[in-house]
Amino acid sequence: MSDYKEITVVMYHYIRNFSASRYPEIKGLEIRDFKRQLNLLQDRCTFVTIEECMEYLDDPASDSSFPSDAALLTFDDGYMEHFTEVFPILSREKIQGVFFPPVRSAAERKALNINKVHFILAASPDPNSLIHELTACIRKYKNEYDLLEPEDYYERVSSREHKYDPINIIKFKRVLQRELPSEVRTRVIDELFNKIVGIREDIFVDELYLTEEHLKCMKRNGMYIGGHGHSHEWMNKQDVHEQEREVTKTREFLGSLGVDIDNWVMSYPFGAYDNSLIQILRANRCKLAFTTRDEKAVLDPDKRFCITRIDTNEID
């Protein structure tokens, strides 16, 4: 048994009234269910701030006041509903949320590939058939980009990678998120997005993502803004120079929002990290980082860069 305190860190993404949205098939949490979960957590746990977590990790022995039933709420990807729906609820309940927007969407106003893939799936009449669309695209660009056969990419994807999706959708997402070379990956995603979703990217961006002004307002009112990389890539698949660029851009962005860049926190896109990334975060004065591994966390100072989180789907 560890001598360090445990904490329930909950991970959220989309939180909205799906039936009233442009794309009701997006997977996420209904607002009413978010409120219900918040009530459950208020009954079971004591909410803490990220600053209290950092203080505890710096000196666990001297912080006897840190609660044994601590909970923390985190929100990845910087979606507009985090401002319009979540922020007012948390402010009213005096609970701090920790929000992780990527730089590319919030500051540069560019759509992320991960979200284009989500909305391709949501807008498709038959998401399971998209594997055939992807196969056709890979074969179309095979010679131009010296690609493998489509089946070679699909075989790299484990059916155990995600428990909430059928295997064809897992393969579709993973091949477009990480397996194809980056230059053709973006080309294929854009082609499918334009064909299936069919919305102008500037409209899509303005509807989906928080702006810097939203984030500054949230920070002024007690919320915490952390880093989520520049372009939401699998950072464990990047070389050291790419990781350094991602972290530098992240830190600069947080500094522009008024975040203390000598005491900041990170949420790994896709929960993906490696030892070189941890060393880069340490050198850039990051204090802790969250993964997507679905279990209750232990605030062990030696494991401060792999703090686990519980998915919202597991809260009942």
Side-chain angles (χ1 to χ4, degrees):
M1 175 80 71
S2 171
D3 292 331
Y4 299 113
K5 296 289 181 71
E6 291 186 336
I7 182 171
T8 300
V9 185
V10 188
M11 174 178 62
Y12 295 97
H13 291 87
Y14 298 105
I15 303 172
R16 55 177 62 179
N17 181 357
F18 292 91
S19 63
S21 70
R22 188 195 289 265
Y23 303 102
E25 298 305 315
I26 281 289
K27 291 186 177 182
L29 191 68
E30 290 280 352
I31 296 166
R32 64 176 181 272
D33 292 327
F34 175 68
K35 293 177 179 177
R36 179 184 61 81
Q37 282 192 0
L38 205 58
N39 290 334
L40 285 174
L41 290 165
Q42 285 175 309
D43 289 341
R44 299 173 182 174
C45 305
T46 301
F47 285 107
V48 295
T49 67
I50 194 69
E51 291 87 354
E52 290 172 318
C53 294
M54 287 190 277
E55 290 172 7
Y56 177 84
L57 284 166
D58 283 344
D59 192 2
S62 68
D63 197 348
S64 59
S65 64
F66 195 88
S68 58
D69 58 351
L72 183 72
L73 305 182
T74 66
F75 303 84
D76 285 8
D77 297 344
Y79 298 132
M80 183 63 76
E81 62 254 36
H82 295 169
F83 181 82
T84 58
E85 304 293 346
V86 174
F87 172 44
I89 295 169
L90 297 183
S91 294
R92 184 172 62 248
E93 299 296 328
K94 296 182 171 53
I95 298 169
Q96 184 193 65
V98 185
F99 296 85
F100 294 106
V103 181
R104 181 173 171 82
S105 55
E108 299 173 7
R109 308 307 288 161
K110 300 292 185 182
L112 303 173
N113 281 345
I114 181 178
N115 295 128
K116 286 185 175 180
V117 171
H118 290 165
F119 282 81
I120 290 167
L121 286 162
S124 174
D126 180 12
N128 280 297
S129 72
L130 286 172
I131 200 76
H132 302 296
E133 295 267 8
L134 178 55
T135 297
C137 285
I138 293 172
R139 288 183 174 146
K140 174 181 175 181
Y141 294 117
K142 184 177 186 300
N143 292 334
E144 183 177 351
Y145 290 95
D146 193 24
L147 301 177
L148 304 174
E149 290 295 331
E151 292 74 19
D152 294 325
Y153 294 110
Y154 301 145
E155 286 176 3
R156 297 177 181 178
V157 180
S158 168
S159 61
R160 298 189 300 274
E161 284 196 67
H162 202 293
K163 59 187 175 182
Y164 303 119
D165 288 321
I167 184 60
N168 272 356
I169 290 178
I170 295 171
K171 289 180 177 180
F172 179 81
K173 293 199 299 190
R174 293 294 184 259
V175 169
L176 286 177
Q177 288 168 351
R178 72 184 187 205
E179 300 301 341
L180 283 177
S182 60
E183 63 272 17
V184 68
R185 187 191 317 155
T186 294
R187 190 169 174 181
V188 170
I189 289 171
D190 286 347
E191 184 173 314
L192 293 175
F193 183 82
N194 292 333
K195 177 181 178 180
I196 295 169
V197 181
I199 185 173
R200 268 182 23 212
E201 185 163 333
D202 59 333
I203 296 173
F204 182 75
V205 166
D206 287 342
E207 287 185 358
L208 186 58
Y209 300 116
L210 295 169
T211 67
E212 292 177 278
E213 290 308 309
H214 291 128
L215 294 164
K216 288 177 182 178
C217 175
M218 294 163 74
K219 181 181 178 299
R220 285 196 303 271
N221 288 277
M223 304 297 117
Y224 187 90
I225 313 301
H228 202 41
H230 170 258
S231 51
H232 204 291
E233 297 290 335
W234 291 72
M235 295 177 74
N236 64 333
K237 301 292 184 181
Q238 297 175 323
D239 63 34
V240 171
H241 299 296
E242 291 172 322
Q243 291 177 340
E244 287 175 340
R245 283 194 295 271
E246 286 270 342
V247 172
T248 297
K249 288 181 178 180
T250 299
R251 195 163 178 256
E252 289 173 349
F253 170 62
L254 294 178
S256 74
L257 299 177
V259 175
D260 180 0
I261 56 173
D262 289 328
N263 294 279
W264 61 284
V265 305
M266 179 81 173
S267 166
Y268 302 116
F270 304 104
Y273 65 97
D274 58 17
N275 288 333
S276 65
L277 180 56
I278 289 175
Q279 294 310 310
I280 292 166
L281 290 174
R282 286 187 187 277
N284 281 273
R285 304 187 68 81
C286 181
K287 303 292 283 187
L288 61 91
F290 295 101
T291 74
T292 57
R293 196 162 66 250
D294 195 4
E295 59 188 50
K296 196 170 185 178
V298 176
L299 291 179
D300 181 342
D302 292 333
K303 298 178 181 177
R304 64 169 64 225
F305 290 102
C306 51
I307 296 176
T308 56
R309 295 186 287 176
I310 296 174
D311 188 273
T312 175
N313 290 299
E314 302 301 319
I315 301 293
D316 56 26

